[in-house]
Amino acid sequence: MTRLAVIGAGITGVSTASSLMDRGLDVTLFDRNRYAAMQTSFANGGQLSASNAETWNRWATVFKGMRWMLTRGAPLLVNPAPSWHKYSWMAEFIAAIPQYRDNTIATARMAIAARGLLREKAARYGFDFDAEDRGILHIYTDRAEFAHAGRVTALLAEAGLTRRAVTPEEIRSLEPALSGDFHGGYYTDSDFTGDIHRYTMGLAQGIARDGTDLRFGTEIEGLTHGPDGICVTWTRGADRQSELFDAIVICAGVESRRFAAMLGDRVNVYPVKGYSITVRLDDEASQQAAPWVSLLDDQAKIVTSRLGRDRFRIAGTAEFNGTNLDIRDDRIRPLVAWCERFFPGVSTEHAIPWAGLRPMMPNMMPRVGPGRRPRVFYNTGHGHLGWTLSAATAEMVAEAVTADATLAPARPHALRMAAE
Ligand SMILES: Cc1cc2nc3c(=O)[nH]c(=O)nc-3n(C[C@H](O)[C@H](O)[C@H](O)COP(=O)(O)OP(=O)(O)OC[C@H]3O[C@@H](n4cnc5c(N)ncnc54)[C@H](O)[C@@H]3O)c2cc1C
């Protein structure tokens, strides 16, 4: 049987391992952490948001970003220190502006295709992930932002997504806990939320029971391409070993660029840092005062999700500062202040801060499919939508693997992407 190594056990790698296993492949999943989902897939915004599929590649984003660089507490922060990686990435971001429309539609299509697959896997393995099927509500206090959202809604409709405009009164009836004055909103009832960490852990345990070899606590040090396959060199404590696999799928988040270089490919993932707080809703009053409907404040670039009765997640901000996971107080405070502004009845006494690095490609499209050399595949670079797209891109890369005649397993595949 074909032996595959998958590098990285975040949401992307675990989903990929699952889709490969569904096709009868022998999968070994590596991660340096002791558990799945301990890096960027740990405490994200929780949204499964086709309605957030708009790519950021617009001149308006560039100009807004420049303004924000001079504003304290703005959602975007750029460390101006010279870095070839950062500035080459930004140049490629600008070069992708002409693809804004097509990439937004393509992303929304993938997000829609992912939904059913993601739920199917949770149902198959019988795990709970605090899913909330109450839709996602985009809120606007600014007329121009609201008008732009109308244009985005038309693009999303081309991908098959229904997102409807709502008045300030409708906002209040959709989410009575939300206080504040709004110009309007857009509501997508088919979007949903959950806890990415619980989901990824549940799926990892499920595929382990079904035969995937999970190699946690294993640091990948080197990858060597050869005529017989890919040699993976790893360490676990003092133990150092090399092992040959028929093929490899790189799902290593922000480390994917480094691994791609070892395999002769350029995958220009940049670590775009974001923060979240998980507000503990310990008392009855806070539980009543926190929202159940997931929110997306497009101006503040903040997303929220309710994770069961007693947790409220608020996430946002984008920081270009290399591979740096420091939790900065001045980036956490705006998230706490946002909570206190819109949900004054929620106690923020216990708000657990977290930082993660979004593995982002300059054109905002995940890199999914084969590399330049045979037997090498990628599923990485999902940026701000890694969970939303995970189940769809896992199927895409698994299809690419099985389409490779030298690797195709005997067993036919039962699941097909909903979009097909
Ligand atoms: C603040 C914030 C909010 C977000 N909100 C949302 C949201 O609401 N909805 C959404 O869809 N997305 C959201 N995202 C994006 C989403 O969380 C990411 O796109 C996704 O988690 C990336 O998953 P991944 O598996 O590609 O990477 P990761 O989860 O980072 O996994 C990569 C894995 O590779 C492993 N690895 C790397 N190098 C090595 C090595 N040398 N040896 C062994 N293992 C290695 C790491 O340990 C890690 O476990 C958000 C991100 C942030 C930061």
Side-chain angles (χ1 to χ4, degrees):
M1 199 192 289
T2 306
R3 284 192 76 219
L4 258 124
V6 176
I7 310 298
I11 184 62
T12 310
V14 173
S15 304
T16 299
S18 161
S19 293
L20 291 167
M21 214 195 60
D22 284 343
R23 287 164 172 80
L25 293 152
D26 177 356
V27 182
T28 303
L29 175 61
F30 289 95
D31 202 290
R32 62 186 165 202
N33 289 305
R34 289 179 67 187
Y35 317 99
M38 295 305 287
Q39 206 168 298
T40 312
S41 307
F42 186 75
N44 79 355
Q47 293 192 329
L48 293 142
S49 49
S51 63
N52 194 22
E54 183 193 19
T55 65
W56 300 351
N57 305 81
R58 294 196 302 134
W59 281 111
T61 313
V62 176
F63 295 134
K64 201 189 279 177
M66 280 163 27
R67 259 200 330 274
W68 276 342
M69 277 174 75
L70 308 169
T71 314
R72 257 176 87 86
L76 179 85
L77 189 81
V78 179
N79 179 344
S83 142
W84 167 249
H85 185 193
K86 184 171 57 201
Y87 288 116
S88 69
W89 188 96
M90 287 177 173
E92 286 178 47
F93 177 93
I94 289 171
I97 288 175
Q99 285 98 54
Y100 161 80
R101 185 179 186 285
D102 290 351
N103 286 349
T104 296
I105 295 170
T107 304
R109 287 206 173 110
M110 283 190 281
I112 293 167
R115 290 167 167 170
L117 294 162
L118 188 134
R119 289 180 193 272
E120 184 278 323
K121 287 185 179 177
R124 193 196 314 172
Y125 292 113
F127 60 84
D128 179 32
F129 62 103
D130 290 319
E132 285 301 331
D133 277 300
R134 299 177 198 239
I136 293 183
L137 175 61
H138 289 234
I139 49 173
Y140 301 90
T141 50
D142 180 271
R143 181 188 293 267
E145 293 274 356
F146 180 70
H148 175 69
R151 295 188 284 277
V152 174
T153 301
L155 292 183
L156 298 176
E158 283 191 46
L161 186 77
T162 306
R163 167 170 118 150
R164 66 181 171 91
V166 288
T167 62
E169 292 69 40
E170 286 172 299
I171 289 177
R172 264 184 285 281
S173 72
L174 278 166
E175 184 42 79
L178 179 62
S179 63
D181 291 326
F182 301 99
H183 184 78
Y186 275 91
Y187 180 61
T188 312
D189 61 359
S190 52
D191 275 341
F192 60 116
T193 57
D195 182 332
I196 185 173
H197 183 68
R198 288 194 72 187
Y199 184 93
T200 314
M201 287 288 282
L203 186 55
Q205 285 161 0
I207 62 172
R209 284 197 300 273
D210 274 0
T212 298
D213 183 1
L214 302 186
R215 303 269 187 90
F216 288 164
T218 306
E219 176 87 34
I220 305 300
E221 293 207 329
L223 303 173
T224 318
H225 191 271
D228 300 328
I230 289 67
C231 179
V232 177
T233 301
W234 51 265
T235 55
R236 187 189 279 143
D239 189 18
R240 185 171 202 271
Q241 288 191 33
S242 293
E243 205 172 332
L244 189 68
F245 288 87
D246 297 312
I248 193 164
V249 188
I250 304 295
C251 305
V254 297
E255 300 290 339
S256 298
R257 180 172 176 261
R258 192 163 61 86
F259 289 129
M262 293 177 192
L263 296 166
D265 287 304
R266 182 167 182 273
V267 176
N268 198 14
V269 166
Y270 190 85
V272 180
K273 189 174 176 181
Y275 295 86
S276 74
I277 53 171
T278 304
V279 182
R280 268 178 37 198
L281 307 171
D282 289 339
D283 56 287
E284 178 70 28
S286 293
Q287 288 166 8
Q288 293 297 332
W292 282 97
V293 169
S294 174
L295 301 170
L296 203 155
D297 180 341
D298 258 331
Q299 277 145 276
K301 297 285 173 234
I302 281 176
V303 305
T304 77
S305 52
R306 180 76 178 256
L307 304 173
R309 203 168 52 91
D310 54 5
R311 288 184 302 152
F312 178 38
R313 173 81 45 80
I314 302 174
T317 80
E319 198 173 301
F320 288 77
N321 192 19
T323 306
N324 173 309
L325 275 166
D326 295 348
I327 297 180
R328 286 178 50 164
D329 183 57
D330 61 340
R331 307 300 287 161
I332 293 295
R333 274 174 196 272
L335 299 178
V336 176
W338 188 94
C339 181
E340 290 169 353
R341 174 180 170 200
F342 290 109
F343 302 99
V346 170
S347 163
T348 50
E349 188 184 356
H350 299 290
I352 303 160
W354 172 81
L357 300 171
R358 303 173 183 94
M360 201 172 276
M361 296 292 287
N363 65 355
M364 311 274 301
M365 299 299 285
R367 173 81 158 80
V368 187
R372 284 206 311 210
R373 295 181 184 164
R375 302 164 181 268
V376 173
F377 298 86
Y378 295 93
N379 184 17
T380 191
H382 299 65
H384 70 310
L385 286 178
W387 194 18
T388 301
L389 304 179
S390 56
T393 63
E395 289 291 297
M396 287 159 65
V397 77
E399 284 290 296
V401 170
T402 47
D404 184 328
T406 58
L407 297 170
R411 182 142 65 83
H413 173 54
L415 290 167
R416 290 279 169 227
M417 275 180 67
E420 280 182 0

